[in-house]
Amino acid sequence: PTELEDLDLLGRCGVKGLHNFSHRIDDFEKARRVADPTEKLNLAYIARDSAVQEAKEVADVESRARETLRSEIRELESKLQAKIEEESGALDAYREDTNRVMCLELKEPCRWNSTYQQLKSYVMRTGDLPPVPSACAAEVDRRLSIWVQEMKSLVFSKSERIINAPHRIEALESLGIEWIESSEDRWNSMYGKLVAYKRRHDTVILPSFMQ
């Protein structure tokens, strides 16, 4: 047999059950346990030593590449953390400035703030929101009630006039306004419509849908 065929046979020892010792091989094994090896074993030693050298070179390249990548990752992580902290600081500054703007907006002389202050005074005086418009005795209270209904309508319809002003929504909620219509609110609303119908038609008998 040729030398290549001899080398190809080295992986088999010829004894059943003793043909694979890979699980017992240490990394970069170079020991020559036979002082005066036969030609076959010597060829195997030479092939093994060449493979060890090649494996070491590949491992060194891989190790350098791994360390380079680790260094780049650490640098990128450091840059990312700096950007995260920069973004967090910018967001904190934005929230602080926006909160200051919202607080000042609620103090500016304008129609919305004027009506809100009237509603606030009413709630502080009576302890509750004004009833439905038809149940209000005073015209000023009726207007406040209509305004509250308008604000609710804007929220229900997700109008930009109110959705883009969350500080106004929160200010209204602080007075006890609830955006989910309760059964009592619904009853009062329908009752108010019935009262208004009675005033216009002098009757509470509604026309049939079939007519």
Side-chain angles (χ1 to χ4, degrees):
T2 64
E3 291 183 358
L4 291 176
E5 291 172 335
D6 286 341
L7 289 174
D8 190 46
L9 294 173
L10 290 176
R12 301 186 295 276
C13 297
V15 180
K16 187 176 182 179
L18 296 176
H19 60 277
N20 190 343
F21 299 99
S22 59
H23 62 290
R24 294 182 178 275
I25 297 174
D26 294 330
D27 289 343
F28 307 138
E29 166 75 20
K30 291 189 67 174
R32 293 197 174 196
R33 284 170 284 273
V34 178
D36 187 18
T38 62
E39 183 179 359
K40 287 184 179 181
L41 180 56
N42 190 54
L43 288 173
Y45 279 152
I46 293 173
R48 191 273 314 273
D49 292 345
S50 177
V52 166
Q53 184 61 33
E54 182 179 355
K56 281 186 175 181
E57 292 175 357
V58 172
D60 288 343
V61 171
E62 186 272 341
S63 178
R64 289 194 297 271
R66 186 187 296 271
E67 185 55 37
T68 298
L69 288 175
R70 285 175 176 169
S71 178
E72 291 176 354
I73 289 173
R74 286 193 294 267
E75 183 178 357
L76 289 174
E77 288 177 340
S78 178
K79 290 181 178 179
L80 176 60
Q81 183 60 36
K83 288 297 182 182
I84 291 174
E85 292 175 0
E86 181 181 350
E87 179 189 27
S88 178
L91 287 175
D92 287 344
Y94 158 73
R95 293 189 183 99
E96 182 177 349
D97 290 342
T98 302
N99 185 69
R100 185 181 300 110
V101 166
M102 289 181 172
C103 290
L104 291 174
E105 281 183 345
L106 290 176
K107 296 178 181 179
E108 281 290 296
C110 66
R111 181 180 178 184
W112 195 95
N113 287 343
S114 176
T115 307
Y116 171 77
Q117 290 299 329
Q118 292 177 38
L119 179 63
K120 183 178 180 181
S121 298
Y122 179 94
V123 172
M124 292 180 66
R125 184 176 71 254
T126 65
D128 201 358
L129 293 166
V132 293
S134 58
C136 294
E139 177 63 17
V140 63
D141 296 343
R142 189 182 72 84
R143 291 179 179 178
L144 285 178
S145 179
I146 293 175
W147 187 76
V148 170
Q149 290 185 352
E150 289 177 351
M151 293 301 102
K152 286 187 175 183
S153 178
L154 291 176
V155 171
F156 290 149
S157 62
K158 300 186 184 302
S159 171
E160 293 184 358
R161 289 172 54 192
I162 192 71
I163 294 301
N164 291 339
H167 52 314
R168 288 184 172 181
I169 293 178
E170 186 170 341
L172 292 171
E173 289 174 346
S174 69
L175 298 182
I177 294 180
E178 297 179 351
W179 307 116
I180 299 177
E181 189 176 28
S182 65
S183 58
E184 182 179 357
D185 289 338
R186 193 177 302 111
W187 191 94
N188 288 334
S189 176
M190 295 303 295
Y191 176 77
K193 292 179 181 180
L194 182 62
V195 171
Y197 183 87
K198 172 70 164 57
R199 287 175 179 173
R200 287 197 305 270
H201 303 284
D202 197 29
T203 180
V204 293
I205 300 177
L206 303 178
S208 171
F209 290 110
M210 299 301 294
Q211 294 179 354

